[in-house]
Amino acid sequence: MSIAEAKSKLRRIAPLRTPTDLAPDATKNIAAAFTALLADMFALYTKTKNFHWHISGPHFRDYHLMLDDQASQIFGTTDAIAERVRKIGGTTLRSIGHIAKLQTIADNDEKFVAPGDMLRELMNDNKAVAHAMREACELAEKHHDLGTTNLLEAFIDATEKRTWFLFEASREADRTGH
């Protein structure tokens, strides 16, 4: 099943009877966007922890600590995203398989990845997540869903900060060859 098909299928799921003043189409569309975003947050969390565990080189300690901190930040968004879907009457992820069907963040199962490549890959993944968050924010604004918009604004800022840190750290990795 393609990502577009999965998102389309999510939109066809009947909304729950959770009390909300949002229109049923708003609930379906926002829930679908947030569930896809949630899948990417889990994929990004897993990749960030993978690189945290496997980073090496002369900047090991700094990168190891930074990636652990970033993984914690990313994981910290997952419950709020899933609960927002439920608050507006939608359903969300149910399994690892469900995540795998929806994620757009590519896994990295390589046995070795150079530290600079890890940082740049995570930087690009965070940029992609920020883009998806902005799209979800525009959708929420279209449906006058201020709760979702406000939640996303803080997450976008945190994602941009992670992107910035990864960019600056990868520049250092480029200068030293590690």
Side-chain angles (χ1 to χ4, degrees):
M1 177 182 306
S2 73
I3 293 169
E5 291 169 331
K7 286 181 180 178
S8 176
K9 187 175 181 179
L10 283 170
R11 284 189 201 100
R12 289 192 303 264
I13 295 172
L16 301 176
R17 300 216 185 271
T18 304
T20 180
D21 65 339
L22 294 173
D25 67 317
T27 297
K28 284 190 274 188
N29 292 333
I30 294 167
F34 252 45
T35 298
L37 178 61
L38 183 59
D40 277 341
M41 296 307 288
F42 276 115
L44 182 59
Y45 167 76
T46 302
K47 183 186 279 188
T48 303
K49 286 303 277 191
N50 169 23
F51 289 169
H52 158 79
W53 293 322
H54 295 100
I55 197 90
S56 61
H59 299 288
F60 166 79
R61 185 175 192 286
D62 293 334
Y63 295 161
H64 184 77
L65 293 174
M66 178 182 69
L67 295 179
D68 196 36
D69 182 50
Q70 289 192 359
S72 294
Q73 292 170 13
I74 295 162
F75 188 74
T77 67
T78 59
D79 198 50
I81 292 170
E83 286 183 357
R84 185 69 196 157
V85 172
R86 299 291 291 153
K87 283 181 207 175
I88 64 171
T91 60
T92 193
L93 297 174
R94 299 190 185 275
S95 67
I96 298 294
H98 197 179
I99 292 168
K101 288 177 187 173
L102 295 177
Q103 76 183 69
T104 62
I105 300 296
D107 293 333
N108 187 321
D109 297 324
E110 296 297 321
K111 290 184 186 221
F112 177 79
V113 180
D117 293 338
M118 288 179 177
L119 299 178
R120 282 186 293 280
E121 189 170 332
L122 289 173
M123 178 191 71
N124 289 327
D125 290 342
N126 275 277
K127 283 173 47 179
V129 164
H131 178 76
M133 287 178 177
R134 282 187 179 85
E135 287 183 339
C137 195
E138 288 175 14
L139 177 64
E141 287 173 348
K142 174 184 163 195
H143 291 289
H144 308 289
D145 180 1
L146 297 178
T148 298
T149 302
N150 289 337
L151 184 66
L152 283 168
E153 287 173 354
F155 291 163
I156 290 168
D157 185 59
T159 303
E160 289 173 335
K161 184 175 183 180
R162 286 191 306 272
T163 302
W164 169 45
F165 274 50
L166 290 161
F167 169 73
E168 291 298 340
S170 69
R171 288 172 31 141
E172 177 62 27
D174 289 339
R175 285 194 293 273
T176 64
H178 300 293

